[in-house]
Amino acid sequence: MAKNIKKRKANSLSVDVLIKQLRSYSKEVDVSLLTRAFQFADQAHLGQRRISGEPYLQHPLEVAKILTELKLDPHSVAAGLLHDVVEDTDYTPKDIAIEFGETIAALVEGVTKIGKIVFKSAQEKQAENFRKMIISMSTDIRVLLIKLADRLHNMRTLEALRQEKRERIAMETLEIYAPLANRLGIGWIKNELEDLCLRSMKPDTYQNLVKNVKAGSGERKRYIKTVVKLVQKTLKENNFQCEIHGRSKHLFGIYRKMERQGIPFEEVYDLTAVRILTDTNMSCYALLGLIHSLWRPVPGRFKDYIAIPKSNMYQSLHTTVFGPEAKHIEFQIRTHEMHKIAEEGIASHWVYKEGGQIHAKDERVFAWLRQLLEWQRDLPDTRQFMTSVKNDLFANVVFVFTPKGDLKELIKGSTPIDFAYAVHTEVGDHCVGAKVNGMIAPLRQPLKSGDTVEVTTSSNHKPSKDWLKFVKTSKAKQKIKYYIGLEERTQSLEFGRKLLERECRKEKLSPSEIMKSKELLTSVKDQGISTIGDLLVAIGYGKVSAHQVIRSLLPKQQMKEGITEKIIRKTGIWTSGVKVKGLDDIMIHLSKCCNPVPGEEIIGFITRGRGLSVHTIDCPNIDELDYDKERLIPVEWDKKQKETHSIHISVLTLDRPGLLAAVTSAISNVGANISHADIKTTEDQKGNFLLVVDIKNIKHLEKILKKVESLDGVLQARRIRKG
């Protein structure tokens, strides 16, 4: 071994379970490798315990077990046993390589988080760890599978952590890891991760759902049994040999439907579905016809994922019908091979054979992985990178065709401009028009699955800033912003040069001499400006004052208080509660589009003629404004400010007497004032309270929403942003 490791008796039961599981799907199992990996991990983690108090070794054992459930190869399972050794002990990747070989060492290194680096924020650390994983999994997809297994077991054992940390980990899981599991087609991991996230983020809601689902399970089983019996009879009469199973919707799916439609649990009718497995594609369509002959299909609820598979290669026919007792029931019809892919994921049937390499036949499936690699290279900004990842991983997709019949996968809501950039950057940059299904269409028209799109280009045409208002894909947004940023930088450089020259002439100085002066950059060096070009651009944007730059070069006796300083001192425009390092002559206002409040992460944007506009870090408008980093500057809240901020709250309730009084009383009891209220009743007999509330900071708002949501009869309380 690389280090002198004392041989300890292996936990034979645990190792035997892993070996037995491996032998159920793999003919070649290196028992010695797994035993040595266990002993190495056992010794390395000796004396370590998890926060729950259990021996730390239990975690890598559980991760390895999940990897066997994914049917991964022995090297992956061994890496699962060793995955925390480098991160949590004194062993290095080199030690792992000497003992277990380069392949296992690379897998462990790919999963290991970045350590010993100080980051400005938790978000930046998250992004850099994710970048590292993306680079590793681009050469060996097993890195991602091990990371998913690691995250799944961590989510199963979150109870030992404090609530705040549980919620943070659950949110990251919901935004990143559950969508990644979905992209790989591993539905059972995706569903379990989502359910566990709900349990950590909304424990009361989760427990209520568990109770409600359990309460009606007997009736649902009876109903499914009736449906299955009727289907089996029809299949037998038509000489079909099929497998039929009932399945329940997972809890997060039920919760998401309740949230999207604003309905209580009692109004969620399709809690179960029937799955039919057959042998051929032709049989799938024949079975669909039989089901529709038994019960009338619900309009708009048929999906053919066999003809057009999902991006993760999921294939099935979905249809919802008015079943017995006029209840909605969904049928999923697929072949046994399709079912295997749907259950195990597209990776599991080839990963252990191919050493983690992505082959040409799987390239369309992993187009999203290539996109992630492009983003991590092209987007050094942490916020932009993670926003792009989250948006595109979560997005529903549409499938459109080129005139030659090539298939392009785009985010739902994408336009011909998005399509053009998906074809090639040059096509997007020079796009002037489009035809959809042979008809001239506006460039902002959302595309639908099955559309055929033809783009017209002109070499003289350039991207428009207006395109940012309607394009959906991250690639289109980044390419448009890049082009506009170059154009604006050129314009700002020339404008900044004119402003500096004008200021020089005012002070009877030679512009050409000043431009050569070594002292010119002295006054702005603390703002990260190191070249004359950057200084001129900053002046052109309004980020730096030409007047102040020139004044810094003059003898002290010539320096006089400028008119801007007088205006600031007399009018007191610094009332936003926001501080900006390095700027002392610019007006600041809080943007109305996102209405930031103390406690939220914020960023400043230099506007033309209106000073500094302050936005929340995740404001949708910032995504359109950040085509040039020169105009985005860091800002922070002034903690000494005690003023309140008005925000809008929407409260959805059951239509019951006395609820308005209960809501207003709850808000008053946590020290907040309601300055305006608008009460409406919806068509389905629910109350919708639109309130304007004066709050101190974001924690105060969270306290208000939690208090209101705890009231009987309140379905949802949330903040809304009004521009």
Side-chain angles (χ1 to χ4, degrees), residues 616-652:
T616 60
I617 201 80
D618 56 354
C619 174
N621 284 343
I622 279 292
D623 196 40
E624 296 178 12
L625 298 172
D626 64 1
Y627 44 80
D628 200 312
K629 299 295 181 296
E630 297 288 347
R631 297 173 70 180
L632 287 174
I633 61 173
V635 295
E636 62 182 20
W637 293 104
D638 185 352
K639 295 180 180 178
K640 296 178 182 178
Q641 290 280 350
K642 301 297 182 184
E643 63 187 50
T644 59
H645 297 253
S646 295
I647 55 97
H648 293 77
I649 291 176
S650 169
V651 182
L652 184 66

Side-chain angles (χ1 to χ4, degrees), residues 488-555:
E488 293 230 343
R489 182 178 174 85
T490 301
Q491 295 172 8
S492 294
L493 189 145
E494 290 305 313
F495 186 51
R497 187 188 304 278
K498 291 178 182 177
L499 289 176
L500 193 66
E501 289 175 349
R502 186 176 67 184
E503 203 61 41
C504 287
R505 286 191 286 270
K506 278 186 184 178
E507 300 294 342
K508 297 183 173 55
L509 299 173
S510 166
S512 59
E513 291 298 321
I514 290 297
M515 292 289 187
K516 297 175 185 177
S517 170
K518 294 180 179 179
E519 290 77 24
L520 183 61
L521 298 173
T522 303
S523 64
V524 291
K525 63 181 180 181
D526 63 336
Q527 297 183 47
I529 297 173
S530 57
T531 69
I532 299 298
D534 289 343
L535 174 62
L536 295 177
V537 169
I539 292 173
Y541 279 142
K543 185 177 178 180
V544 172
S545 164
H547 174 66
Q548 285 188 338
V549 170
I550 297 303
R551 283 180 67 227
S552 69
L553 300 176
L554 299 175

Side-chain angles (χ1 to χ4, degrees), residues 8-277:
R8 302 176 72 224
K9 186 177 180 181
N11 183 330
S12 58
L13 177 62
S14 296
V15 172
D16 284 348
V17 167
L18 298 179
I19 293 170
K20 183 179 179 181
Q21 193 91 348
L22 272 163
R23 282 176 169 159
S24 70
Y25 60 83
S26 179
K27 293 179 181 178
E28 298 180 5
V29 178
D30 190 338
V31 175
S32 172
L33 172 68
L34 293 172
T35 304
R36 286 188 296 115
F38 172 82
Q39 290 173 336
F40 195 106
D42 188 19
Q43 180 66 27
H45 294 298
L46 184 63
Q48 293 182 352
R49 291 189 175 273
R50 305 189 82 202
I51 294 176
S52 62
E54 69 178 359
Y56 193 89
L57 185 64
Q58 193 61 35
H59 171 63
L61 278 169
E62 292 290 346
V63 170
K65 184 173 180 293
I66 293 169
L67 293 173
T68 63
E69 292 168 11
L70 287 169
K71 295 183 170 57
L72 291 198
D73 60 303
H75 282 81
S76 301
V77 178
L81 287 168
L82 300 165
H83 79 276
D84 273 340
V85 167
V86 172
E87 186 174 335
D88 294 335
T89 74
D90 293 332
Y91 292 102
T92 66
K94 186 177 179 181
D95 295 329
I96 304 294
I98 291 171
E99 180 62 26
F100 298 100
E102 294 293 341
T103 298
I104 291 177
L107 291 173
V108 172
E109 173 65 9
V111 179
T112 302
K113 294 176 184 174
I114 294 172
K116 300 177 182 177
I117 299 176
V118 178
F119 294 96
K120 295 178 183 177
S121 65
Q123 289 84 356
E124 184 179 356
K125 185 174 182 179
Q126 178 199 52
E128 291 311 309
N129 278 318
F130 193 66
R131 282 182 197 271
K132 179 176 179 287
M133 186 178 73
I134 288 169
I135 295 169
S136 299
M137 75 187 196
S138 66
T139 55
D140 197 328
I141 197 69
R142 292 176 295 182
V143 168
L144 176 53
L145 298 173
I146 297 169
K147 189 64 182 175
L148 283 175
D150 175 48
R151 179 53 60 109
L152 178 57
H153 184 250
N154 281 332
M155 287 300 300
R156 288 172 176 173
T157 55
L158 276 189
E159 291 87 348
L161 304 179
R162 64 182 187 275
Q163 181 61 27
E164 181 183 349
K165 191 169 184 179
R166 286 205 301 266
E167 291 181 2
R168 177 178 59 77
I169 294 171
M171 179 57 73
E172 180 186 63
T173 302
L174 196 60
E175 291 181 335
I176 300 293
Y177 292 99
L180 282 172
N182 184 52
R183 284 287 192 173
L184 288 177
I186 313 172
W188 69 270
I189 286 187
K190 175 240 181 195
N191 289 346
E192 186 175 349
L193 284 176
E194 289 179 340
D195 284 352
L196 292 169
C197 288
L198 182 62
R199 185 178 73 178
S200 292
M201 297 169 69
K202 291 182 173 288
D204 293 341
T205 301
Y206 177 84
Q207 292 302 331
N208 285 335
L209 279 175
V210 170
K211 184 174 69 174
N212 288 332
V213 169
K214 187 176 180 181
S217 62
E219 172 59 25
R220 282 192 298 278
K221 285 179 182 177
R222 179 201 65 79
Y223 183 76
I224 287 293
K225 192 174 180 180
T226 300
V227 171
V228 169
K229 194 172 181 180
L230 288 169
V231 173
Q232 285 175 330
K233 181 183 176 184
T234 304
L235 295 180
K236 189 175 181 180
E237 291 171 353
N238 288 273
N239 298 317
F240 276 100
Q241 297 293 323
C242 304
E243 289 183 32
I244 307 178
H245 308 281
R247 57 171 289 274
S248 299
K249 189 185 287 286
H250 70 299
L251 294 178
F252 187 81
I254 298 171
Y255 165 75
R256 184 165 48 199
K257 185 164 189 174
M258 291 167 61
E259 287 289 295
R260 284 177 178 172
Q261 299 183 13
I263 58 176
F265 177 82
E266 293 73 23
E267 295 180 25
V268 181
Y269 300 119
D270 52 346
L271 294 175
T272 54
V274 174
R275 183 174 292 147
I276 305 178
L277 305 183

